[in-house]
Amino acid sequence: MFKAVKVLQASIVMVLAGCASAPNVATSQAQSPDTAIHDNPASAGPASETITTLAYVAPRAAEAPAIQAGGSINQAKGFTDANGRLLPDMQAYANEVSQTRNVPLNHVTRLLQAAHYNPKVARLMTPSSGRIKRSWVTYRKRYVEPVRINQGVSFWQEHQALLDDTAKRYGVPVSVIVAIIGVETLYGRYTGSFAVLDALATLGFRNPDPNRPERSQLFRDQLADLIELDWKKELDAMNVTGSFAGAMGLPQFMPGSLRRFAADGDRDSRINLHHSVADAVASVARFLRLHGWEPGLPVFAPVIVPANAAKWVDGGLTPNLTWPELNKAGFQARAGHENDAWTRHPVGVIDLLDEPRNLAEYRVATPNFFALTEYNRSYFYATSVAELANILADRMGYGRAF
């Protein structure tokens, strides 16, 4: 999962090219498990998806400080000189990574010397020259479609006991966990075949975006996370593969997310996001809980929106409205929905635009919608996950939840 900065309603997300059978794995040493308190059927999502309220889900590690050294230049060149020594900017970066991440300098240097510029990564990540019209209809067809639905049902059936246990432990419905893995990698079929080390170095040092200078910084910090994970023997940075943005495994976690949010679902004291379904499933659930998922809430509130709903859209990724103020403005709760817990939480009005057709759809989103946007900062992405989850739950006999 690559969280692009300041992208809300992108009409195209990254296509994670690669081979699911790639032999390299993303692994991490597991830490202490989360502790569940008690079953809480009253807060359940879809019927039969009983969940458990957790006392506390702790991140595995704190967010590391940004690496200040180094910069990005628009040149198709490597990272070492003719003698194999790191170029000055790369050496400055290596020095700071070593100091801030407590990794021996020779280890950092060895990994950076092994990195190669990847022109395909640079090409795939270079923004198009013209603005692409946003289309919710087109986007939805790409991800809420028969192959993902059928494969999702098969995945759910194959791993039902594991999925039920994870949903009960973390308070995230099975349908949502399955939908995310389906949208991200088609249940492990497309996890990416790019060398993560090369991808992150290329994007951090050789592919600047003049409109988003912070993007290169993001990739340099992710590269530091990768180096730290390698030093701790939590993955093999020389061999690990992923998307062209550096996301890894069934759930497409960036190194920073692997470091901070991944979970040891099979409790074998390691985290393997490529080949352990249990680790992938638990990691998705843990990520969502740590990013604001509220057990028992729908993703969208059951609301009829007024004709002037557009005025309430702020385009942000944080719910900052209350139900009383929206109700006063003409939004109406639909009849027949007994669970009104969402009315006591902040909400937001989101728009799903179809610019080629000059159409727009408006919905009232709960904190769970915005938790999904932490996985990918796109209204289209979060809505596709929610709609695929609903269809999968319906096909499995759980009924639609939102």
Side-chain angles (χ1 to χ4, degrees):
M1 152 247 329
F2 165 60
K3 298 195 329 184
V5 180
K6 296 182 180 177
V7 176
L8 299 183
Q9 297 159 303
S11 58
I12 298 177
V13 295
M14 297 178 180
V15 179
L16 304 176
C19 175
S21 62
N24 307 314
V25 298
T27 59
S28 174
Q29 297 288 344
Q31 301 199 4
S32 58
D34 304 314
T35 302
I37 312 176
H38 57 273
D39 290 347
N40 184 4
S43 66
S48 301
E49 288 198 68
T50 302
I51 59 177
T52 296
T53 301
L54 300 185
Y56 180 59
V57 185
R60 296 177 57 248
E63 185 173 5
I67 304 298
Q68 302 302 318
S72 186
I73 57 174
N74 190 17
Q75 291 186 16
K77 58 184 290 187
F79 312 107
T80 59
D81 62 21
N83 297 315
R85 293 187 294 263
L86 290 178
L87 296 174
D89 64 328
M90 297 297 297
Q91 188 62 61
Y93 173 85
N95 293 342
E96 186 172 345
V97 170
S98 174
Q99 293 168 4
T100 61
R101 300 302 185 93
N102 297 314
V103 179
L105 181 58
N106 64 346
H107 189 85
V108 180
T109 300
R110 180 178 64 85
L111 289 178
L112 293 177
Q113 287 174 327
H116 297 88
Y117 172 79
N118 187 318
K120 186 174 182 180
V121 166
R123 184 175 72 255
L124 290 170
M125 282 294 289
T126 299
S128 60
S129 56
R131 181 181 177 276
I132 299 174
K133 290 186 176 181
R134 295 169 290 179
S135 172
W136 162 236
V137 173
T138 301
Y139 188 103
R140 185 185 187 280
K141 287 180 179 178
R142 186 178 296 120
Y143 295 103
V144 187
E145 46 83 35
V147 172
R148 279 182 172 78
I149 294 169
N150 293 333
Q151 291 294 318
V153 170
S154 297
F155 182 86
W156 193 330
Q157 291 172 335
E158 181 180 357
H159 304 289
Q160 188 158 12
L162 166 67
L163 288 162
D164 285 343
D165 180 69
T166 304
K168 184 177 180 181
R169 183 177 178 78
Y170 286 96
V172 178
V174 172
S175 55
V176 172
I177 298 170
V178 175
I180 284 181
I181 294 175
V183 169
E184 290 291 337
T185 61
L186 193 55
Y187 307 102
R189 184 175 298 181
Y190 303 109
T191 58
S193 59
F194 291 87
V196 173
L197 178 64
D198 295 349
L200 295 177
T202 298
L203 297 174
F205 294 96
R206 298 293 183 264
N207 191 243
D209 182 345
N211 298 317
R212 291 164 52 204
E214 75 281 355
R215 193 186 73 170
S216 296
Q217 178 70 61
L218 179 152
F219 287 113
R220 289 194 294 273
D221 291 340
Q222 292 292 333
L223 179 58
D225 288 324
L226 182 76
I227 292 170
E228 181 181 346
L229 289 168
D230 181 89
W231 169 244
K232 294 179 177 178
K233 301 186 184 305
E234 298 181 16
L235 54 67
D236 180 358
M238 290 285 200
N239 293 300
V240 67
T241 58
S243 76
F244 58 78
M248 300 174 287
L250 275 73
Q252 291 292 276
F253 269 32
M254 296 294 285
S257 290
L258 172 61
R259 184 175 155 271
R260 299 183 64 208
F261 307 119
D264 179 20
D266 55 18
R267 300 175 186 172
D268 66 352
S269 298
R270 294 189 67 79
I271 296 174
N272 182 330
L273 297 183
H274 275 82
H275 295 140
S276 172
V277 172
D279 290 353
V281 164
S283 294
V284 170
R286 193 171 212 249
F287 180 95
L288 291 177
R289 278 303 307 272
L290 287 169
H291 286 84
W293 185 275
E294 291 285 348
L297 295 190
V299 173
F300 293 112
V303 167
I304 300 171
V305 303
N308 68 343
K311 68 174 288 187
W312 294 92
V313 177
D314 67 8
L317 296 174
T318 303
N320 55 16
L321 300 171
T322 66
W323 172 240
E325 66 182 308
L326 286 182
N327 190 211
K328 184 178 179 180
F331 292 76
Q332 299 177 20
R334 294 183 184 274
H337 294 268
E338 296 180 0
N339 184 354
D340 66 351
W342 60 269
T343 64
R344 296 182 288 277
H345 291 265
V347 294
V349 179
I350 63 116
D351 56 351
L352 301 170
L353 302 180
D354 195 285
E355 293 178 326
R357 299 170 180 84
N358 195 28
L359 298 173
E361 181 182 344
Y362 301 93
R363 304 188 189 187
V364 174
T366 75
N368 287 352
F369 174 87
F370 294 97
L372 291 174
T373 67
E374 292 289 342
Y375 213 102
N376 185 309
R377 301 171 77 86
S378 162
Y379 288 174
F380 288 0
Y381 174 89
T383 306
S384 293
V385 166
E387 295 205 354
L388 180 58
N390 251 339
I391 293 171
L392 292 172
D394 200 31
R395 289 277 294 268
M396 291 294 294
Y398 285 68
R400 300 193 172 215
F402 37 80

Short mmCIF file of all heavy atoms in Angstrom, two decimals, residues 147-197:
data_model
loop_
_atom_site.label_atom_id
_atom_site.label_comp_id
_atom_site.label_asym_id
_atom_site.label_seq_id
_atom_site.Cartn_x
_atom_site.Cartn_y
_atom_site.Cartn_z
N VAL A 147 -14.21 -10.97 -11.41
CA VAL A 147 -13.04 -11.75 -11.02
C VAL A 147 -12.73 -11.54 -9.54
O VAL A 147 -12.50 -12.51 -8.79
CB VAL A 147 -11.82 -11.37 -11.88
CG1 VAL A 147 -10.55 -12.02 -11.33
CG2 VAL A 147 -12.03 -11.79 -13.33
N ARG A 148 -12.72 -10.29 -9.09
CA ARG A 148 -12.43 -10.04 -7.68
C ARG A 148 -13.54 -10.55 -6.77
O ARG A 148 -13.28 -10.99 -5.65
CB ARG A 148 -12.19 -8.54 -7.45
CG ARG A 148 -10.79 -8.09 -7.83
CD ARG A 148 -10.55 -6.62 -7.54
NE ARG A 148 -9.16 -6.27 -7.74
CZ ARG A 148 -8.57 -6.08 -8.92
NH1 ARG A 148 -9.29 -6.21 -10.03
NH2 ARG A 148 -7.29 -5.78 -9.01
N ILE A 149 -14.76 -10.49 -7.23
CA ILE A 149 -15.86 -11.01 -6.42
C ILE A 149 -15.73 -12.53 -6.28
O ILE A 149 -15.79 -13.07 -5.17
CB ILE A 149 -17.21 -10.62 -7.04
CG1 ILE A 149 -17.40 -9.10 -6.97
CG2 ILE A 149 -18.35 -11.33 -6.32
CD1 ILE A 149 -18.56 -8.58 -7.79
N ASN A 150 -15.55 -13.22 -7.38
CA ASN A 150 -15.46 -14.69 -7.34
C ASN A 150 -14.23 -15.15 -6.57
O ASN A 150 -14.31 -16.08 -5.76
CB ASN A 150 -15.45 -15.25 -8.76
CG ASN A 150 -16.76 -15.03 -9.48
OD1 ASN A 150 -17.82 -14.92 -8.86
ND2 ASN A 150 -16.72 -14.94 -10.81
N GLN A 151 -13.09 -14.52 -6.82
CA GLN A 151 -11.87 -14.89 -6.10
C GLN A 151 -11.99 -14.53 -4.62
O GLN A 151 -11.44 -15.23 -3.76
CB GLN A 151 -10.66 -14.19 -6.72
CG GLN A 151 -10.29 -14.69 -8.11
CD GLN A 151 -9.83 -16.13 -8.10
OE1 GLN A 151 -9.07 -16.55 -7.22
NE2 GLN A 151 -10.31 -16.91 -9.06
N GLY A 152 -12.70 -13.45 -4.33
CA GLY A 152 -12.90 -13.05 -2.94
C GLY A 152 -13.72 -14.06 -2.17
O GLY A 152 -13.42 -14.39 -1.01
N VAL A 153 -14.77 -14.57 -2.80
CA VAL A 153 -15.58 -15.61 -2.16
C VAL A 153 -14.74 -16.86 -1.91
O VAL A 153 -14.79 -17.46 -0.83
CB VAL A 153 -16.81 -15.93 -3.03
CG1 VAL A 153 -17.53 -17.18 -2.51
CG2 VAL A 153 -17.78 -14.75 -3.05
N SER A 154 -13.94 -17.24 -2.90
CA SER A 154 -13.08 -18.42 -2.74
C SER A 154 -12.07 -18.22 -1.62
O SER A 154 -11.83 -19.12 -0.80
CB SER A 154 -12.35 -18.72 -4.06
OG SER A 154 -13.27 -19.04 -5.08
N PHE A 155 -11.46 -17.03 -1.58
CA PHE A 155 -10.48 -16.72 -0.53
C PHE A 155 -11.15 -16.78 0.84
O PHE A 155 -10.59 -17.34 1.79
CB PHE A 155 -9.90 -15.34 -0.80
CG PHE A 155 -8.84 -14.88 0.16
CD1 PHE A 155 -7.51 -15.21 -0.03
CD2 PHE A 155 -9.17 -14.10 1.27
CE1 PHE A 155 -6.54 -14.80 0.86
CE2 PHE A 155 -8.20 -13.67 2.16
CZ PHE A 155 -6.88 -14.03 1.95
N TRP A 156 -12.33 -16.21 0.95
CA TRP A 156 -13.07 -16.19 2.22
C TRP A 156 -13.40 -17.62 2.64
O TRP A 156 -13.19 -17.99 3.81
CB TRP A 156 -14.35 -15.37 2.03
CG TRP A 156 -15.09 -15.00 3.28
CD1 TRP A 156 -15.13 -15.69 4.46
CD2 TRP A 156 -15.89 -13.84 3.47
NE1 TRP A 156 -15.93 -15.04 5.37
CE2 TRP A 156 -16.40 -13.90 4.79
CE3 TRP A 156 -16.26 -12.76 2.66
CZ2 TRP A 156 -17.27 -12.92 5.30
CZ3 TRP A 156 -17.11 -11.80 3.17
CH2 TRP A 156 -17.60 -11.86 4.48
N GLN A 157 -13.89 -18.42 1.73
CA GLN A 157 -14.25 -19.80 2.06
C GLN A 157 -13.03 -20.61 2.49
O GLN A 157 -13.09 -21.40 3.44
CB GLN A 157 -14.92 -20.45 0.86
CG GLN A 157 -16.30 -19.89 0.55
CD GLN A 157 -16.88 -20.42 -0.76
OE1 GLN A 157 -16.13 -20.83 -1.66
NE2 GLN A 157 -18.19 -20.42 -0.88
N GLU A 158 -11.92 -20.40 1.80
CA GLU A 158 -10.71 -21.16 2.11
C GLU A 158 -10.14 -20.81 3.48
O GLU A 158 -9.60 -21.67 4.18
CB GLU A 158 -9.66 -20.92 1.04
CG GLU A 158 -8.37 -21.69 1.26
CD GLU A 158 -7.33 -21.43 0.18
OE1 GLU A 158 -7.63 -20.69 -0.79
OE2 GLU A 158 -6.21 -21.98 0.29
N HIS A 159 -10.27 -19.56 3.86
CA HIS A 159 -9.64 -19.09 5.11
C HIS A 159 -10.68 -18.61 6.13
O HIS A 159 -10.37 -17.76 6.96
CB HIS A 159 -8.66 -17.96 4.79
CG HIS A 159 -7.61 -18.31 3.80
ND1 HIS A 159 -6.57 -19.17 4.09
CD2 HIS A 159 -7.44 -17.94 2.50
CE1 HIS A 159 -5.80 -19.32 3.02
NE2 HIS A 159 -6.30 -18.58 2.05
N GLN A 160 -11.86 -19.17 6.10
CA GLN A 160 -12.96 -18.63 6.90
C GLN A 160 -12.66 -18.63 8.40
O GLN A 160 -12.91 -17.65 9.09
CB GLN A 160 -14.25 -19.39 6.62
CG GLN A 160 -15.47 -18.75 7.29
CD GLN A 160 -16.76 -19.14 6.61
OE1 GLN A 160 -16.79 -20.05 5.80
NE2 GLN A 160 -17.84 -18.44 6.94
N ALA A 161 -12.12 -19.72 8.92
CA ALA A 161 -11.84 -19.78 10.36
C ALA A 161 -10.81 -18.73 10.77
O ALA A 161 -10.98 -18.03 11.77
CB ALA A 161 -11.34 -21.18 10.74
N LEU A 162 -9.76 -18.59 9.97
CA LEU A 162 -8.74 -17.58 10.23
C LEU A 162 -9.33 -16.17 10.17
O LEU A 162 -9.07 -15.34 11.04
CB LEU A 162 -7.61 -17.71 9.21
CG LEU A 162 -6.63 -16.54 9.11
CD1 LEU A 162 -5.80 -16.44 10.38
CD2 LEU A 162 -5.73 -16.70 7.89
N LEU A 163 -10.12 -15.92 9.14
CA LEU A 163 -10.72 -14.60 8.97
C LEU A 163 -11.68 -14.27 10.11
O LEU A 163 -11.70 -13.14 10.63
CB LEU A 163 -11.43 -14.52 7.62
CG LEU A 163 -10.51 -14.48 6.40
CD1 LEU A 163 -11.27 -14.85 5.14
CD2 LEU A 163 -9.88 -13.10 6.27
N ASP A 164 -12.49 -15.23 10.51
CA ASP A 164 -13.42 -15.00 11.61
C ASP A 164 -12.67 -14.68 12.90
O ASP A 164 -13.06 -13.78 13.66
CB ASP A 164 -14.31 -16.22 11.81
CG ASP A 164 -15.39 -16.36 10.74
OD1 ASP A 164 -15.65 -15.37 10.03
OD2 ASP A 164 -15.96 -17.46 10.62
N ASP A 165 -11.60 -15.42 13.14
CA ASP A 165 -10.81 -15.19 14.36
C ASP A 165 -10.17 -13.80 14.34
O ASP A 165 -10.15 -13.09 15.35
CB ASP A 165 -9.74 -16.26 14.49
CG ASP A 165 -8.88 -16.06 15.73
OD1 ASP A 165 -9.40 -16.26 16.84
OD2 ASP A 165 -7.69 -15.70 15.59
N THR A 166 -9.65 -13.39 13.17
CA THR A 166 -9.02 -12.07 13.05
C THR A 166 -10.03 -10.95 13.23
O THR A 166 -9.76 -9.96 13.92
CB THR A 166 -8.32 -11.95 11.68
OG1 THR A 166 -7.39 -13.01 11.53
CG2 THR A 166 -7.59 -10.61 11.57
N ALA A 167 -11.21 -11.10 12.62
CA ALA A 167 -12.25 -10.09 12.77
C ALA A 167 -12.68 -9.97 14.22
O ALA A 167 -12.89 -8.87 14.74
CB ALA A 167 -13.45 -10.45 11.89
N LYS A 168 -12.78 -11.09 14.90
CA LYS A 168 -13.17 -11.08 16.31
C LYS A 168 -12.09 -10.42 17.17
O LYS A 168 -12.39 -9.69 18.11
CB LYS A 168 -13.39 -12.52 16.77
CG LYS A 168 -13.89 -12.67 18.21
CD LYS A 168 -14.14 -14.15 18.51
CE LYS A 168 -14.62 -14.32 19.95
NZ LYS A 168 -14.85 -15.75 20.27
N ARG A 169 -10.85 -10.63 16.79
CA ARG A 169 -9.72 -10.10 17.57
C ARG A 169 -9.53 -8.61 17.39
O ARG A 169 -9.26 -7.87 18.34
CB ARG A 169 -8.45 -10.85 17.15
CG ARG A 169 -7.19 -10.49 17.88
CD ARG A 169 -6.05 -11.38 17.40
NE ARG A 169 -4.82 -11.04 18.04
CZ ARG A 169 -4.47 -11.39 19.28
NH1 ARG A 169 -5.30 -12.09 20.01
NH2 ARG A 169 -3.30 -11.06 19.79
N TYR A 170 -9.70 -8.13 16.14
CA TYR A 170 -9.39 -6.74 15.85
C TYR A 170 -10.61 -5.84 15.66
O TYR A 170 -10.47 -4.62 15.62
CB TYR A 170 -8.52 -6.65 14.59
CG TYR A 170 -7.10 -7.08 14.83
CD1 TYR A 170 -6.68 -8.37 14.55
CD2 TYR A 170 -6.17 -6.20 15.37
CE1 TYR A 170 -5.38 -8.78 14.78
CE2 TYR A 170 -4.86 -6.59 15.61
CZ TYR A 170 -4.47 -7.88 15.31
OH TYR A 170 -3.18 -8.27 15.55
N GLY A 171 -11.79 -6.41 15.53
CA GLY A 171 -12.97 -5.57 15.37
C GLY A 171 -13.17 -5.02 13.97
O GLY A 171 -13.91 -4.07 13.78
N VAL A 172 -12.50 -5.62 12.99
CA VAL A 172 -12.66 -5.21 11.59
C VAL A 172 -13.38 -6.34 10.86
O VAL A 172 -12.93 -7.48 10.92
CB VAL A 172 -11.30 -4.93 10.93
CG1 VAL A 172 -11.48 -4.55 9.46
CG2 VAL A 172 -10.57 -3.82 11.68
N PRO A 173 -14.50 -6.07 10.17
CA PRO A 173 -15.24 -7.15 9.52
C PRO A 173 -14.41 -7.93 8.52
O PRO A 173 -13.55 -7.37 7.83
CB PRO A 173 -16.39 -6.40 8.82
CG PRO A 173 -16.55 -5.13 9.59
CD PRO A 173 -15.17 -4.76 10.04
N VAL A 174 -14.70 -9.22 8.42
CA VAL A 174 -14.03 -10.07 7.45
C VAL A 174 -14.16 -9.48 6.04
O VAL A 174 -13.20 -9.47 5.26
CB VAL A 174 -14.65 -11.49 7.47
CG1 VAL A 174 -14.10 -12.33 6.32
CG2 VAL A 174 -14.37 -12.17 8.80
N SER A 175 -15.35 -9.01 5.71
CA SER A 175 -15.60 -8.52 4.35
C SER A 175 -14.65 -7.40 3.95
O SER A 175 -14.19 -7.34 2.81
CB SER A 175 -17.05 -8.03 4.23
OG SER A 175 -17.35 -7.06 5.22
N VAL A 176 -14.33 -6.53 4.89
CA VAL A 176 -13.43 -5.41 4.60
C VAL A 176 -12.00 -5.90 4.42
O VAL A 176 -11.29 -5.47 3.51
CB VAL A 176 -13.52 -4.35 5.72
CG1 VAL A 176 -12.45 -3.27 5.54
CG2 VAL A 176 -14.91 -3.72 5.74
N ILE A 177 -11.56 -6.81 5.28
CA ILE A 177 -10.22 -7.37 5.15
C ILE A 177 -10.05 -8.05 3.80
O ILE A 177 -9.06 -7.83 3.08
CB ILE A 177 -9.94 -8.37 6.29
CG1 ILE A 177 -10.00 -7.68 7.65
CG2 ILE A 177 -8.59 -9.05 6.10
CD1 ILE A 177 -9.98 -8.65 8.83
N VAL A 178 -11.02 -8.88 3.43
CA VAL A 178 -10.95 -9.61 2.17
C VAL A 178 -10.98 -8.65 0.99
O VAL A 178 -10.24 -8.82 0.00
CB VAL A 178 -12.09 -10.64 2.08
CG1 VAL A 178 -12.11 -11.31 0.71
CG2 VAL A 178 -11.95 -11.68 3.17
N ALA A 179 -11.82 -7.63 1.07
CA ALA A 179 -11.92 -6.67 -0.04
C ALA A 179 -10.61 -5.93 -0.26
O ALA A 179 -10.19 -5.72 -1.40
CB ALA A 179 -13.05 -5.68 0.24
N ILE A 180 -9.93 -5.52 0.80
CA ILE A 180 -8.67 -4.80 0.65
C ILE A 180 -7.63 -5.67 -0.04
O ILE A 180 -6.94 -5.23 -0.98
CB ILE A 180 -8.16 -4.31 2.02
CG1 ILE A 180 -8.96 -3.08 2.47
CG2 ILE A 180 -6.66 -3.97 1.96
CD1 ILE A 180 -8.54 -2.51 3.79
N ILE A 181 -7.50 -6.92 0.39
CA ILE A 181 -6.52 -7.80 -0.24
C ILE A 181 -6.89 -8.05 -1.70
O ILE A 181 -6.01 -8.15 -2.57
CB ILE A 181 -6.40 -9.12 0.55
CG1 ILE A 181 -5.82 -8.83 1.95
CG2 ILE A 181 -5.52 -10.13 -0.18
CD1 ILE A 181 -5.77 -10.04 2.87
N GLY A 182 -8.18 -8.09 -1.99
CA GLY A 182 -8.61 -8.26 -3.37
C GLY A 182 -8.28 -7.07 -4.23
O GLY A 182 -7.79 -7.22 -5.36
N VAL A 183 -8.54 -5.87 -3.73
CA VAL A 183 -8.24 -4.66 -4.50
C VAL A 183 -6.74 -4.48 -4.66
O VAL A 183 -6.26 -4.11 -5.73
CB VAL A 183 -8.88 -3.43 -3.83
CG1 VAL A 183 -8.37 -2.14 -4.47
CG2 VAL A 183 -10.41 -3.49 -3.94
N GLU A 184 -5.99 -4.78 -3.61
CA GLU A 184 -4.55 -4.54 -3.65
C GLU A 184 -3.81 -5.50 -4.58
O GLU A 184 -2.99 -5.07 -5.39
CB GLU A 184 -3.97 -4.65 -2.23
CG GLU A 184 -4.36 -3.52 -1.30
CD GLU A 184 -3.73 -2.19 -1.68
OE1 GLU A 184 -2.68 -2.19 -2.35
OE2 GLU A 184 -4.31 -1.15 -1.31
N THR A 185 -4.06 -6.80 -4.44
CA THR A 185 -3.23 -7.78 -5.17
C THR A 185 -4.01 -8.94 -5.78
O THR A 185 -3.41 -9.92 -6.19
CB THR A 185 -2.16 -8.36 -4.24
OG1 THR A 185 -2.80 -9.05 -3.15
CG2 THR A 185 -1.23 -7.29 -3.71
N LEU A 186 -5.33 -8.83 -5.85
CA LEU A 186 -6.16 -9.93 -6.32
C LEU A 186 -5.79 -11.21 -5.57
O LEU A 186 -5.52 -12.26 -6.13
CB LEU A 186 -6.04 -10.11 -7.84
CG LEU A 186 -7.08 -11.01 -8.51
CD1 LEU A 186 -8.50 -10.54 -8.19
CD2 LEU A 186 -6.88 -11.06 -10.00
N TYR A 187 -5.77 -11.08 -4.24
CA TYR A 187 -5.54 -12.21 -3.34
C TYR A 187 -4.18 -12.86 -3.54
O TYR A 187 -4.03 -14.08 -3.50
CB TYR A 187 -6.69 -13.21 -3.45
CG TYR A 187 -8.01 -12.50 -3.26
CD1 TYR A 187 -8.81 -12.17 -4.35
CD2 TYR A 187 -8.38 -12.03 -2.00
CE1 TYR A 187 -9.97 -11.43 -4.19
CE2 TYR A 187 -9.54 -11.29 -1.83
CZ TYR A 187 -10.33 -10.99 -2.93
OH TYR A 187 -11.47 -10.24 -2.76
N GLY A 188 -3.18 -12.01 -3.76
CA GLY A 188 -1.81 -12.47 -3.87
C GLY A 188 -1.36 -12.78 -5.27
O GLY A 188 -0.20 -13.14 -5.48
N ARG A 189 -2.23 -12.62 -6.26
CA ARG A 189 -1.84 -12.94 -7.63
C ARG A 189 -0.85 -11.93 -8.18
O ARG A 189 0.04 -12.27 -8.95
CB ARG A 189 -3.08 -13.00 -8.52
CG ARG A 189 -2.78 -13.42 -9.95
CD ARG A 189 -4.04 -13.58 -10.78
NE ARG A 189 -4.91 -14.63 -10.26
CZ ARG A 189 -6.07 -14.98 -10.81
NH1 ARG A 189 -6.51 -14.35 -11.88
NH2 ARG A 189 -6.79 -15.95 -10.29
N TYR A 190 -0.98 -10.66 -7.78
CA TYR A 190 -0.10 -9.61 -8.31
C TYR A 190 0.51 -8.82 -7.15
O TYR A 190 -0.02 -7.81 -6.74
CB TYR A 190 -0.88 -8.66 -9.22
CG TYR A 190 -1.57 -9.36 -10.37
CD1 TYR A 190 -2.94 -9.50 -10.40
CD2 TYR A 190 -0.83 -9.90 -11.42
CE1 TYR A 190 -3.59 -10.15 -11.45
CE2 TYR A 190 -1.45 -10.55 -12.48
CZ TYR A 190 -2.84 -10.67 -12.49
OH TYR A 190 -3.46 -11.32 -13.52
N THR A 191 1.61 -9.31 -6.62
CA THR A 191 2.28 -8.61 -5.52
C THR A 191 3.44 -7.75 -5.99
O THR A 191 3.99 -6.98 -5.19
CB THR A 191 2.79 -9.62 -4.47
OG1 THR A 191 3.69 -10.53 -5.09
CG2 THR A 191 1.63 -10.39 -3.84
N GLY A 192 3.83 -7.87 -7.25
CA GLY A 192 4.91 -7.03 -7.78
C GLY A 192 6.22 -7.78 -7.86
O GLY A 192 6.58 -8.54 -6.96
N SER A 193 6.96 -7.52 -8.93
CA SER A 193 8.25 -8.19 -9.13
C SER A 193 9.42 -7.20 -9.18
O SER A 193 10.52 -7.57 -9.58
CB SER A 193 8.22 -8.99 -10.44
OG SER A 193 7.94 -8.14 -11.54
N PHE A 194 9.18 -5.97 -8.78
CA PHE A 194 10.26 -4.98 -8.76
C PHE A 194 11.12 -5.14 -7.50
O PHE A 194 10.59 -5.41 -6.41
CB PHE A 194 9.68 -3.56 -8.77
CG PHE A 194 9.03 -3.18 -10.07
CD1 PHE A 194 7.68 -3.47 -10.30
CD2 PHE A 194 9.74 -2.54 -11.07
CE1 PHE A 194 7.07 -3.14 -11.49
CE2 PHE A 194 9.14 -2.19 -12.27
CZ PHE A 194 7.80 -2.49 -12.48
N ALA A 195 12.42 -4.97 -7.65
CA ALA A 195 13.31 -4.95 -6.49
C ALA A 195 12.98 -3.71 -5.66
O ALA A 195 13.11 -2.58 -6.15
CB ALA A 195 14.76 -4.93 -6.92
N VAL A 196 12.55 -3.91 -4.43
CA VAL A 196 12.12 -2.78 -3.60
C VAL A 196 13.27 -1.82 -3.35
O VAL A 196 13.08 -0.60 -3.34
CB VAL A 196 11.51 -3.30 -2.28
CG1 VAL A 196 11.20 -2.14 -1.34
CG2 VAL A 196 10.23 -4.09 -2.57
N LEU A 197 14.47 -2.36 -3.14
CA LEU A 197 15.63 -1.50 -2.92
C LEU A 197 15.84 -0.56 -4.10
O LEU A 197 16.05 0.65 -3.92
CB LEU A 197 16.87 -2.38 -2.71
CG LEU A 197 18.21 -1.67 -2.50
CD1 LEU A 197 18.18 -0.84 -1.22
CD2 LEU A 197 19.36 -2.68 -2.47
#
